[in-house]
Structures are given as C-alpha cells and as structure tokens.
Coordinates of all heavy atoms in Angstrom, one line a residue:
M20 N 10.1 -7.2 -13.3 CA 11.4 -6.5 -13.4 C 12.0 -6.9 -14.7 O 12.1 -8.1 -15.1 CB 12.3 -6.9 -12.2 CG 13.6 -6.2 -12.3 SD 14.7 -6.6 -10.9 CE 13.8 -6.5 -9.5
S21 N 12.4 -6.0 -15.5 CA 13.0 -6.3 -16.8 C 14.4 -7.0 -16.7 O 15.1 -6.7 -15.8 CB 13.2 -5.0 -17.6 OG 14.0 -5.2 -18.7
D22 N 14.7 -7.9 -17.6 CA 15.9 -8.6 -17.5 C 17.1 -7.7 -17.6 O 18.2 -7.9 -17.1 CB 16.0 -9.7 -18.7 CG 15.3 -10.9 -18.4 OD1 14.9 -11.1 -17.2 OD2 15.1 -11.7 -19.3
R23 N 16.9 -6.5 -18.3 CA 18.0 -5.5 -18.5 C 18.3 -4.9 -17.1 O 19.4 -4.4 -16.9 CB 17.6 -4.5 -19.5 CG 17.6 -5.0 -20.9 CD 17.2 -4.0 -21.9 NE 15.8 -3.7 -21.7 CZ 15.1 -2.7 -22.2 NH1 15.8 -1.8 -22.8 NH2 13.8 -2.6 -22.0
L24 N 17.4 -4.9 -16.2 CA 17.6 -4.2 -14.9 C 18.1 -5.2 -13.8 O 18.4 -4.8 -12.7 CB 16.3 -3.6 -14.4 CG 15.7 -2.6 -15.4 CD1 14.3 -2.1 -14.8 CD2 16.6 -1.4 -15.5
V25 N 18.2 -6.5 -14.2 CA 18.6 -7.5 -13.2 C 20.0 -7.9 -13.5 O 20.4 -8.3 -14.6 CB 17.7 -8.8 -13.3 CG1 18.2 -9.8 -12.3 CG2 16.2 -8.4 -13.1
P26 N 20.9 -7.7 -12.5 CA 22.3 -8.1 -12.6 C 22.5 -9.6 -13.0 O 21.6 -10.4 -12.5 CB 23.0 -7.7 -11.3 CG 22.0 -6.8 -10.6 CD 20.7 -7.1 -11.2
G27 N 23.5 -9.9 -13.7 CA 23.7 -11.3 -14.1 C 23.6 -12.3 -13.1 O 22.9 -13.3 -13.2
S28 N 24.3 -12.2 -11.9 CA 24.2 -13.2 -10.9 C 22.8 -13.3 -10.3 O 22.4 -14.4 -9.9 CB 25.3 -12.9 -9.8 OG 24.9 -11.6 -9.2
M29 N 22.1 -12.2 -10.2 CA 20.8 -12.3 -9.6 C 19.8 -13.0 -10.6 O 19.0 -13.8 -10.2 CB 20.2 -10.9 -9.3 CG 18.9 -10.9 -8.6 SD 18.2 -9.2 -8.3 CE 19.4 -8.6 -7.2
R30 N 20.0 -12.7 -11.9 CA 19.2 -13.4 -12.9 C 19.4 -14.9 -12.9 O 18.5 -15.7 -13.0 CB 19.6 -12.9 -14.3 CG 18.6 -13.3 -15.4 CD 18.9 -12.7 -16.8 NE 19.1 -11.3 -16.7 CZ 20.2 -10.6 -17.1 NH1 21.2 -11.3 -17.6 NH2 20.2 -9.3 -17.1
E31 N 20.7 -15.3 -12.7 CA 21.0 -16.8 -12.6 C 20.3 -17.4 -11.3 O 19.8 -18.5 -11.4 CB 22.5 -17.0 -12.5 CG 23.2 -16.7 -13.8 CD 24.7 -16.7 -13.7 OE1 25.2 -17.2 -12.6 OE2 25.4 -16.2 -14.6
E32 N 20.3 -16.6 -10.2 CA 19.6 -17.1 -9.0 C 18.1 -17.3 -9.2 O 17.5 -18.2 -8.8 CB 19.9 -16.1 -7.9 CG 19.4 -16.6 -6.5 CD 19.7 -15.6 -5.4 OE1 20.9 -15.1 -5.4 OE2 18.8 -15.4 -4.6
I33 N 17.5 -16.3 -9.9 CA 16.1 -16.4 -10.2 C 15.8 -17.6 -11.1 O 14.8 -18.3 -10.8 CB 15.6 -15.1 -10.9 CG1 15.7 -13.9 -9.9 CG2 14.2 -15.2 -11.5 CD1 15.5 -12.5 -10.5
V34 N 16.6 -17.8 -12.1 CA 16.4 -19.0 -12.9 C 16.5 -20.3 -12.1 O 15.7 -21.2 -12.3 CB 17.4 -19.0 -14.1 CG1 17.4 -20.3 -14.9 CG2 17.1 -17.8 -15.1
M35 N 17.5 -20.3 -11.2 CA 17.7 -21.5 -10.4 C 16.5 -21.8 -9.5 O 16.1 -22.9 -9.3 CB 19.0 -21.4 -9.6 CG 20.3 -21.5 -10.5 SD 21.8 -21.3 -9.6 CE 21.6 -22.0 -8.0
V36 N 16.0 -20.7 -8.9 CA 14.9 -20.9 -8.0 C 13.7 -21.3 -8.8 O 12.9 -22.3 -8.4 CB 14.6 -19.6 -7.2 CG1 13.2 -19.6 -6.5 CG2 15.7 -19.2 -6.2
R37 N 13.5 -20.7 -9.9 CA 12.3 -21.1 -10.8 C 12.4 -22.6 -11.2 O 11.4 -23.3 -11.2 CB 12.3 -20.2 -12.0 CG 11.0 -20.2 -12.7 CD 10.8 -19.0 -13.6 NE 9.5 -18.9 -14.2 CZ 9.1 -19.7 -15.2 NH1 10.0 -20.5 -15.8 NH2 7.9 -19.6 -15.7
E38 N 13.6 -23.0 -11.6 CA 13.8 -24.4 -12.0 C 13.6 -25.3 -10.8 O 13.0 -26.4 -11.0 CB 15.2 -24.6 -12.6 CG 15.3 -23.9 -14.0 CD 16.7 -24.0 -14.6 OE1 17.7 -24.5 -13.9 OE2 16.9 -23.7 -15.8
R39 N 14.0 -24.9 -9.7 CA 13.8 -25.8 -8.5 C 12.3 -25.9 -8.2 O 11.8 -26.9 -7.8 CB 14.6 -25.2 -7.3 CG 14.4 -26.0 -6.0 CD 15.0 -27.4 -6.1 NE 14.6 -28.1 -5.0 CZ 14.0 -29.3 -5.0 NH1 13.7 -29.9 -6.1 NH2 13.7 -29.9 -3.9
L40 N 11.6 -24.7 -8.3 CA 10.2 -24.8 -8.0 C 9.5 -25.7 -9.0 O 8.5 -26.4 -8.7 CB 9.6 -23.3 -8.1 CG 9.9 -22.4 -7.0 CD1 9.5 -21.0 -7.3 CD2 9.3 -22.9 -5.7
A41 N 9.9 -25.6 -10.3 CA 9.3 -26.5 -11.3 C 9.5 -28.0 -11.0 O 8.6 -28.8 -11.1 CB 9.9 -26.2 -12.7
A42 N 10.7 -28.3 -10.5 CA 11.0 -29.7 -10.1 C 10.1 -30.1 -8.9 O 9.7 -31.2 -8.8 CB 12.5 -29.8 -9.7
M43 N 9.9 -29.1 -8.0 CA 9.0 -29.4 -6.8 C 7.6 -29.6 -7.2 O 6.9 -30.5 -6.7 CB 9.1 -28.2 -5.8 CG 10.5 -28.1 -5.2 SD 10.7 -26.5 -4.3 CE 10.3 -27.0 -2.7
V44 N 7.1 -28.9 -8.3 CA 5.8 -29.1 -8.8 C 5.7 -30.5 -9.4 O 4.7 -31.3 -9.1 CB 5.4 -28.1 -9.9 CG1 4.2 -28.5 -10.7 CG2 5.3 -26.7 -9.3
A45 N 6.7 -30.9 -10.1 CA 6.7 -32.3 -10.7 C 6.7 -33.4 -9.6 O 5.9 -34.3 -9.7 CB 7.9 -32.5 -11.6
S46 N 7.5 -33.2 -8.6 CA 7.5 -34.1 -7.5 C 6.2 -34.1 -6.7 O 5.6 -35.2 -6.4 CB 8.7 -33.8 -6.5 OG 8.7 -34.6 -5.4
A47 N 5.7 -32.9 -6.4 CA 4.4 -32.8 -5.6 C 3.2 -33.5 -6.4 O 2.3 -34.0 -5.8 CB 4.1 -31.4 -5.3
S48 N 3.3 -33.4 -7.7 CA 2.2 -33.9 -8.5 C 2.4 -35.4 -9.0 O 1.7 -35.9 -9.8 CB 2.0 -33.0 -9.8 OG 3.0 -33.1 -10.7
D49 N 3.5 -36.0 -8.4 CA 3.9 -37.4 -8.8 C 4.0 -37.5 -10.3 O 3.7 -38.5 -10.9 CB 2.8 -38.4 -8.3 CG 2.8 -38.5 -6.8 OD1 3.9 -38.3 -6.1 OD2 1.7 -38.8 -6.2
G50 N 4.6 -36.4 -10.9 CA 4.9 -36.5 -12.3 C 3.7 -36.2 -13.2 O 3.9 -36.2 -14.5
A51 N 2.5 -35.9 -12.7 CA 1.4 -35.5 -13.5 C 1.7 -34.3 -14.4 O 1.2 -34.1 -15.5 CB 0.1 -35.3 -12.7
V52 N 2.5 -33.4 -13.8 CA 3.0 -32.2 -14.4 C 4.5 -32.3 -14.4 O 5.0 -32.3 -13.3 CB 2.4 -30.9 -13.8 CG1 3.0 -29.7 -14.5 CG2 0.9 -30.9 -13.8
T53 N 5.2 -32.3 -15.5 CA 6.6 -32.3 -15.5 C 7.2 -31.0 -15.2 O 6.5 -29.9 -15.3 CB 7.2 -32.8 -16.8 OG1 6.9 -31.8 -17.8 CG2 6.6 -34.1 -17.3
A54 N 8.5 -30.9 -14.8 CA 9.2 -29.7 -14.6 C 9.1 -28.8 -15.8 O 8.9 -27.6 -15.8 CB 10.6 -29.9 -14.1
G55 N 9.3 -29.4 -17.0 CA 9.3 -28.7 -18.2 C 7.9 -28.1 -18.5 O 7.8 -26.9 -19.0
E56 N 6.9 -28.8 -18.2 CA 5.5 -28.3 -18.4 C 5.3 -27.1 -17.5 O 4.6 -26.1 -17.9 CB 4.5 -29.4 -18.2 CG 4.5 -30.4 -19.3 CD 3.6 -31.6 -18.9 OE1 3.5 -32.0 -17.7 OE2 3.1 -32.3 -19.9
A57 N 5.7 -27.3 -16.2 CA 5.5 -26.2 -15.3 C 6.3 -24.9 -15.7 O 5.7 -23.8 -15.6 CB 6.0 -26.6 -13.9
L58 N 7.5 -25.1 -16.2 CA 8.3 -23.9 -16.6 C 7.6 -23.2 -17.9 O 7.7 -22.0 -18.0 CB 9.7 -24.4 -17.0 CG 10.6 -24.7 -15.8 CD1 11.9 -25.3 -16.2 CD2 10.9 -23.4 -15.0
A59 N 7.0 -24.0 -18.7 CA 6.5 -23.5 -20.0 C 5.0 -23.1 -19.9 O 4.4 -22.6 -20.8 CB 6.6 -24.5 -21.1
A60 N 4.4 -23.3 -18.7 CA 3.0 -23.1 -18.5 C 2.5 -21.7 -18.9 O 3.1 -20.7 -18.5 CB 2.6 -23.4 -17.1
T61 N 1.5 -21.6 -19.7 CA 0.8 -20.3 -20.0 C -0.6 -20.3 -19.4 O -1.3 -19.4 -19.6 CB 0.8 -20.1 -21.5 OG1 0.0 -21.2 -22.1 CG2 2.2 -20.0 -22.1
V62 N -0.9 -21.4 -18.7 CA -2.2 -21.5 -18.0 C -1.9 -21.8 -16.5 O -0.8 -22.2 -16.2 CB -3.1 -22.6 -18.6 CG1 -3.4 -22.3 -20.1 CG2 -2.4 -24.0 -18.5
P63 N -2.9 -21.7 -15.7 CA -2.6 -22.0 -14.2 C -2.2 -23.5 -14.1 O -2.6 -24.4 -14.9 CB -4.0 -21.8 -13.6 CG -4.7 -20.8 -14.5 CD -4.2 -21.1 -15.9
L64 N -1.3 -23.7 -13.2 CA -0.8 -25.1 -12.9 C -1.9 -26.1 -12.7 O -1.8 -27.2 -13.1 CB 0.2 -25.1 -11.8 CG 1.5 -24.3 -12.1 CD1 2.4 -24.3 -10.9 CD2 2.3 -24.9 -13.3
S65 N -3.0 -25.6 -12.0 CA -4.1 -26.5 -11.8 C -4.7 -27.0 -13.1 O -5.3 -28.1 -13.2 CB -5.1 -25.9 -10.9 OG -5.6 -24.7 -11.4
A66 N -4.7 -26.2 -14.1 CA -5.3 -26.5 -15.4 C -4.4 -27.6 -16.1 O -4.9 -28.4 -16.9 CB -5.4 -25.3 -16.3
L67 N -3.1 -27.7 -15.7 CA -2.2 -28.7 -16.2 C -2.4 -30.1 -15.5 O -1.9 -31.1 -15.9 CB -0.8 -28.3 -16.1 CG -0.4 -27.1 -17.0 CD1 1.0 -26.7 -16.7 CD2 -0.7 -27.3 -18.5
G68 N -3.0 -30.0 -14.3 CA -3.2 -31.3 -13.6 C -2.7 -31.3 -12.1 O -2.6 -32.3 -11.5
V69 N -2.2 -30.1 -11.6 CA -1.8 -30.0 -10.2 C -3.1 -30.0 -9.4 O -3.9 -29.1 -9.4 CB -0.9 -28.8 -10.0 CG1 -0.6 -28.6 -8.5 CG2 0.3 -28.8 -10.8
T70 N -3.2 -31.1 -8.6 CA -4.4 -31.3 -7.8 C -4.2 -30.5 -6.4 O -3.2 -30.0 -6.1 CB -4.6 -32.8 -7.5 OG1 -3.5 -33.2 -6.7 CG2 -4.8 -33.6 -8.8
S71 N -5.3 -30.5 -5.7 CA -5.3 -29.9 -4.3 C -4.3 -30.6 -3.4 O -3.6 -30.0 -2.6 CB -6.6 -29.8 -3.7 OG -7.2 -31.1 -3.6
L72 N -4.2 -31.9 -3.6 CA -3.2 -32.7 -2.8 C -1.8 -32.3 -3.2 O -0.9 -32.1 -2.3 CB -3.4 -34.2 -3.0 CG -2.4 -35.1 -2.3 CD1 -2.4 -34.9 -0.8 CD2 -2.7 -36.6 -2.6
A73 N -1.6 -32.2 -4.5 CA -0.3 -31.8 -5.0 C 0.1 -30.4 -4.5 O 1.2 -30.1 -4.1 CB -0.2 -31.8 -6.5
Q74 N -0.9 -29.5 -4.4 CA -0.7 -28.1 -3.9 C -0.3 -28.2 -2.4 O 0.6 -27.4 -2.0 CB -2.0 -27.3 -4.0 CG -2.2 -26.9 -5.5 CD -3.5 -26.1 -5.6 OE1 -4.5 -26.3 -4.9 NE2 -3.6 -25.2 -6.6
M75 N -0.9 -29.0 -1.6 CA -0.5 -29.2 -0.2 C 0.9 -29.7 -0.1 O 1.7 -29.2 0.8 CB -1.5 -30.1 0.6 CG -2.9 -29.6 0.7 SD -3.0 -28.0 1.5 CE -3.4 -26.9 0.2
R76 N 1.3 -30.6 -0.9 CA 2.7 -31.2 -0.9 C 3.6 -30.1 -1.3 O 4.7 -29.9 -0.8 CB 2.8 -32.3 -1.9 CG 2.1 -33.6 -1.5 CD 2.2 -34.6 -2.6 NE 1.5 -35.9 -2.2 CZ 1.2 -36.8 -3.1 NH1 1.4 -36.6 -4.4 NH2 0.6 -37.9 -2.7
L77 N 3.2 -29.3 -2.3 CA 4.1 -28.2 -2.8 C 4.3 -27.1 -1.7 O 5.4 -26.6 -1.5 CB 3.5 -27.5 -4.0 CG 4.3 -26.4 -4.7 CD1 5.7 -26.9 -5.1 CD2 3.5 -25.9 -5.9
I78 N 3.2 -26.8 -1.0 CA 3.3 -25.9 0.1 C 4.3 -26.4 1.1 O 5.2 -25.6 1.6 CB 2.0 -25.6 0.8 CG1 1.0 -24.8 -0.1 CG2 2.1 -24.9 2.2 CD1 -0.4 -24.8 0.4
D79 N 4.2 -27.6 1.5 CA 5.1 -28.2 2.5 C 6.6 -28.1 2.0 O 7.5 -27.7 2.8 CB 4.7 -29.6 2.8 CG 5.5 -30.2 3.9 OD1 5.7 -29.6 5.0 OD2 6.0 -31.4 3.7
A80 N 6.8 -28.5 0.8 CA 8.1 -28.5 0.2 C 8.7 -27.1 0.1 O 9.9 -26.9 0.5 CB 8.1 -29.1 -1.2
V81 N 7.9 -26.1 -0.3 CA 8.4 -24.7 -0.5 C 8.7 -24.2 0.9 O 9.7 -23.5 1.1 CB 7.4 -23.9 -1.2 CG1 7.7 -22.4 -1.1 CG2 7.3 -24.3 -2.7
E82 N 7.8 -24.4 1.9 CA 8.0 -23.8 3.2 C 9.3 -24.4 3.9 O 10.0 -23.7 4.5 CB 6.8 -24.1 4.1 CG 5.6 -23.2 3.7 CD 4.4 -23.4 4.5 OE1 4.3 -24.4 5.3 OE2 3.5 -22.5 4.5
T83 N 9.5 -25.7 3.6 CA 10.6 -26.4 4.2 C 11.9 -25.9 3.6 O 12.9 -25.6 4.2 CB 10.5 -27.9 4.1 OG1 9.3 -28.3 4.8 CG2 11.7 -28.6 4.6
E84 N 12.0 -25.9 2.2 CA 13.2 -25.6 1.5 C 13.6 -24.1 1.5 O 14.7 -23.8 1.7 CB 13.1 -26.1 0.1 CG 14.4 -25.8 -0.7 CD 14.6 -26.7 -1.9 OE1 14.0 -27.8 -1.9 OE2 15.3 -26.2 -2.8
F85 N 12.6 -23.3 1.4 CA 12.9 -21.8 1.3 C 12.6 -21.0 2.6 O 12.9 -19.8 2.6 CB 12.1 -21.2 0.1 CG 12.5 -21.7 -1.2 CD1 11.7 -22.7 -1.9 CD2 13.7 -21.3 -1.8 CE1 12.1 -23.2 -3.1 CE2 14.1 -21.8 -3.0 CZ 13.3 -22.8 -3.7
G86 N 12.0 -21.7 3.6 CA 11.8 -21.0 4.8 C 10.8 -19.9 4.8 O 10.9 -18.9 5.5
V87 N 9.8 -20.0 3.9 CA 8.8 -19.0 3.7 C 7.4 -19.7 4.1 O 7.3 -20.9 3.9 CB 8.7 -18.4 2.3 CG1 10.0 -17.7 2.0 CG2 8.4 -19.4 1.3
E88 N 6.5 -18.8 4.5 CA 5.2 -19.3 4.8 C 4.2 -19.0 3.6 O 4.3 -17.9 3.1 CB 4.6 -18.7 6.1 CG 3.3 -19.3 6.5 CD 2.9 -18.7 7.9 OE1 3.7 -18.6 8.8 OE2 1.7 -18.4 8.0
I89 N 3.4 -19.9 3.3 CA 2.4 -19.7 2.3 C 1.0 -19.7 3.0 O 0.6 -20.7 3.5 CB 2.4 -20.7 1.1 CG1 3.7 -20.6 0.4 CG2 1.2 -20.5 0.2 CD1 4.0 -21.6 -0.7
D90 N 0.4 -18.5 3.1 CA -0.8 -18.4 3.8 C -1.9 -18.6 2.8 O -2.0 -17.9 1.8 CB -0.9 -17.0 4.4 CG -2.2 -16.7 5.2 OD1 -3.0 -17.6 5.4 OD2 -2.3 -15.6 5.7
L91 N -2.8 -19.6 3.1 CA -3.8 -20.0 2.2 C -5.0 -19.0 2.2 O -5.9 -19.1 1.3 CB -4.3 -21.4 2.4 CG -3.3 -22.5 2.2 CD1 -3.9 -23.8 2.5 CD2 -2.8 -22.4 0.8
S92 N -5.0 -18.1 3.1 CA -6.0 -17.0 3.0 C -5.4 -15.9 2.1 O -4.2 -15.8 2.0 CB -6.3 -16.5 4.4 OG -5.2 -15.9 5.0
G93 N -6.3 -15.2 1.5 CA -5.8 -14.2 0.6 C -5.2 -14.8 -0.7 O -5.9 -15.6 -1.3
D94 N -4.0 -14.4 -1.1 CA -3.4 -14.7 -2.3 C -2.7 -16.1 -2.3 O -2.1 -16.5 -3.4 CB -2.5 -13.6 -2.8 CG -3.2 -12.3 -3.1 OD1 -4.4 -12.4 -3.4 OD2 -2.5 -11.3 -3.0
G95 N -2.7 -16.8 -1.2 CA -1.9 -18.0 -1.1 C -2.2 -19.0 -2.2 O -1.3 -19.6 -2.8
L96 N -3.4 -19.3 -2.4 CA -3.8 -20.3 -3.4 C -3.4 -19.8 -4.8 O -3.0 -20.6 -5.7 CB -5.3 -20.6 -3.4 CG -5.7 -21.4 -2.2 CD1 -7.3 -21.6 -2.2 CD2 -5.1 -22.8 -2.3
D97 N -3.5 -18.5 -5.1 CA -3.1 -18.0 -6.4 C -1.6 -18.3 -6.7 O -1.2 -18.5 -7.8 CB -3.4 -16.5 -6.5 CG -4.9 -16.2 -6.6 OD1 -5.7 -17.2 -6.9 OD2 -5.3 -15.1 -6.2
L98 N -0.8 -18.2 -5.6 CA 0.7 -18.4 -5.8 C 0.9 -19.8 -6.3 O 1.9 -20.0 -7.0 CB 1.4 -18.2 -4.4 CG 1.4 -16.8 -3.8 CD1 2.0 -16.9 -2.4 CD2 2.1 -15.9 -4.7
L99 N 0.1 -20.8 -5.9 CA 0.3 -22.2 -6.2 C 0.0 -22.5 -7.6 O 0.3 -23.6 -8.1 CB -0.5 -23.1 -5.3 CG -0.1 -22.9 -3.8 CD1 -1.1 -23.7 -2.9 CD2 1.3 -23.3 -3.5
D100 N -0.6 -21.6 -8.3 CA -1.0 -21.8 -9.7 C 0.0 -21.1 -10.7 O -0.2 -21.2 -11.9 CB -2.4 -21.2 -10.0 CG -3.4 -22.3 -10.1 OD1 -3.0 -23.5 -10.3 OD2 -4.6 -22.0 -10.1
D101 N 1.0 -20.4 -10.2 CA 1.8 -19.6 -11.1 C 3.3 -19.6 -10.6 O 3.5 -19.0 -9.5 CB 1.3 -18.2 -11.1 CG 2.0 -17.2 -12.0 OD1 3.2 -17.5 -12.4 OD2 1.4 -16.2 -12.3
L102 N 4.2 -20.3 -11.3 CA 5.6 -20.3 -10.8 C 6.2 -18.9 -10.6 O 6.9 -18.7 -9.7 CB 6.4 -21.1 -11.8 CG 6.5 -22.6 -11.8 CD1 7.5 -23.1 -12.7 CD2 6.7 -23.1 -10.4
D103 N 5.9 -18.0 -11.6 CA 6.5 -16.7 -11.4 C 6.0 -16.0 -10.2 O 6.8 -15.4 -9.5 CB 6.1 -15.8 -12.7 CG 6.8 -16.3 -13.9 OD1 7.9 -16.9 -13.8 OD2 6.2 -16.2 -15.0
A104 N 4.7 -16.1 -9.9 CA 4.2 -15.5 -8.7 C 4.8 -16.1 -7.4 O 5.1 -15.4 -6.4 CB 2.7 -15.6 -8.6
L105 N 4.9 -17.4 -7.4 CA 5.5 -18.1 -6.3 C 7.0 -17.7 -6.1 O 7.4 -17.4 -5.0 CB 5.4 -19.6 -6.5 CG 5.8 -20.5 -5.4 CD1 5.1 -20.2 -4.1 CD2 5.5 -22.0 -5.7
E106 N 7.7 -17.6 -7.2 CA 9.1 -17.2 -7.1 C 9.2 -15.7 -6.6 O 10.1 -15.4 -5.7 CB 9.8 -17.3 -8.5 CG 11.3 -17.0 -8.5 CD 11.6 -15.5 -8.6 OE1 10.8 -14.7 -9.2 OE2 12.5 -15.1 -7.9
R107 N 8.3 -14.9 -7.0 CA 8.3 -13.5 -6.5 C 8.0 -13.4 -5.0 O 8.6 -12.6 -4.3 CB 7.4 -12.6 -7.3 CG 7.8 -12.2 -8.7 CD 6.9 -11.2 -9.4 NE 5.5 -11.6 -9.5 CZ 5.0 -12.3 -10.5 NH1 5.7 -12.6 -11.5 NH2 3.7 -12.6 -10.5
H108 N 7.1 -14.3 -4.6 CA 6.7 -14.3 -3.2 C 7.9 -14.8 -2.3 O 8.2 -14.1 -1.3 CB 5.6 -15.3 -3.0 CG 5.2 -15.5 -1.5 ND1 4.6 -14.6 -0.8 CD2 5.4 -16.6 -0.7 CE1 4.4 -15.0 0.5 NE2 4.9 -16.3 0.5
I109 N 8.6 -15.8 -2.8 CA 9.8 -16.3 -2.1 C 10.8 -15.2 -2.0 O 11.4 -14.9 -0.9 CB 10.3 -17.6 -2.7 CG1 9.4 -18.7 -2.5 CG2 11.7 -17.9 -2.2 CD1 9.7 -19.9 -3.4
D110 N 11.1 -14.6 -3.1 CA 12.1 -13.5 -3.2 C 11.7 -12.4 -2.2 O 12.6 -11.9 -1.5 CB 12.2 -13.0 -4.6 CG 13.3 -11.9 -4.7 OD1 14.5 -12.2 -4.4 OD2 13.0 -10.8 -5.2
A111 N 10.5 -11.9 -2.2 CA 10.0 -10.8 -1.4 C 10.2 -11.2 0.1 O 10.6 -10.4 0.9 CB 8.6 -10.5 -1.7
V112 N 9.8 -12.4 0.5 CA 9.9 -12.8 1.9 C 11.3 -12.9 2.3 O 11.7 -12.4 3.4 CB 9.1 -14.1 2.1 CG1 9.4 -14.7 3.5 CG2 7.6 -14.0 1.9
Q113 N 12.2 -13.5 1.5 CA 13.6 -13.6 1.8 C 14.3 -12.2 1.9 O 15.1 -12.0 2.8 CB 14.3 -14.5 0.8 CG 13.9 -16.0 1.0 CD 14.5 -16.9 0.0 OE1 15.0 -16.5 -1.1 NE2 14.6 -18.2 0.4
R114 N 13.9 -11.3 1.0 CA 14.5 -10.0 1.1 C 14.0 -9.2 2.3 O 14.8 -8.5 2.9 CB 14.1 -9.2 -0.1 CG 14.8 -9.5 -1.4 CD 14.3 -8.7 -2.6 NE 14.8 -9.2 -3.8 CZ 15.9 -8.6 -4.4 NH1 16.5 -7.6 -3.8 NH2 16.3 -9.1 -5.5
S115 N 12.8 -9.4 2.8 CA 12.3 -8.8 3.9 C 13.0 -9.3 5.2 O 13.0 -8.6 6.2 CB 10.8 -8.9 4.1 OG 10.4 -10.2 4.4
H116 N 13.5 -10.5 5.2 CA 14.2 -11.0 6.3 C 15.7 -10.8 6.3 O 16.5 -11.2 7.1 CB 13.9 -12.5 6.4 CG 12.5 -12.8 6.8 ND1 11.7 -13.6 6.1 CD2 11.8 -12.4 7.9 CE1 10.5 -13.6 6.6 NE2 10.5 -12.9 7.7
S117 N 16.2 -10.1 5.2 CA 17.7 -9.8 5.1 C 18.1 -8.6 5.9 O 17.4 -7.7 6.1 CB 18.0 -9.6 3.6 OG 17.7 -10.8 2.9

C-alpha cells in the first residue's frame, strides 16, 4: 500500500508495530540481530543471524503480544524472515477479527 493512500494515524500505527517487531527480533535472537538491523534489512532475517531457535521465540512472542497464530505450514516460515510480511500478516489477521 502506498504511503499516500495510508491515513496519518494508520501510518503511525504501522511504524509502531514494525518497530515493536524489530525489538522482538532483537530479543528473540539475544541481540545477534539488533532492532536497527532488522528494520534496515534488505536480506532475509535468517541471513542476518536469526536462528531457528530465535524464530521459535519470535513466534511465541508475536502470538502472545498480537494474538495471531503463525502456522509453520505454508508461508509461516517466510513470514519470520521479513518484517514487512510479518507486519502485513498481523494486520490482516487483526482486521479479519474486527
């Protein structure tokens, strides 16, 4: 979605969720990947050092905090490698429950 099409308050919410997800990546990876690195990533998070253990921690944290399920069959693993995809997933699930 283009920034021009997103109302200001919604854009701020997206930024806040994305920043929170980046902090969760840093925590789940025990600092191997910083929040700044996760936010700036142009490669999959696993290429930056997010291990399978960190991915499991991230799943638990995301499911707990955002009340969404990450199904590891299908596209679930792909979500864990891309903050934007993970944010879109959370947004889509939350909108479907509204």
Side-chain angles (χ1 to χ4, degrees):
M20 185 181 307
S21 168
D22 282 347
R23 290 179 287 166
L24 301 176
V25 178
S28 62
M29 187 183 294
R30 189 175 311 121
E31 290 171 13
E32 184 178 319
I33 290 169
V34 169
M35 288 174 38
V36 169
R37 197 165 186 280
E38 288 176 352
R39 179 65 189 124
L40 288 171
M43 294 167 93
V44 167
S46 178
S48 70
D49 292 328
V52 177
T53 67
E56 290 170 330
L58 286 168
T61 58
V62 296
L64 294 174
S65 58
L67 296 177
V69 174
T70 64
S71 58
L72 176 58
Q74 288 177 330
M75 294 301 108
R76 291 176 178 163
L77 181 59
I78 289 169
D79 185 50
V81 168
E82 289 181 343
T83 299
E84 183 159 331
F85 294 102
V87 300
E88 185 176 318
I89 297 176
D90 183 0
L91 294 180
S92 63
D94 295 333
L96 285 176
D97 293 338
L98 295 175
L99 300 174
D100 253 349
D101 182 342
L102 276 188
D103 291 328
L105 187 54
E106 185 277 324
R107 286 190 303 271
H108 174 72
I109 291 167
D110 184 57
V112 171
Q113 289 178 337
R114 285 177 187 264
S115 73
H116 291 122
S117 298

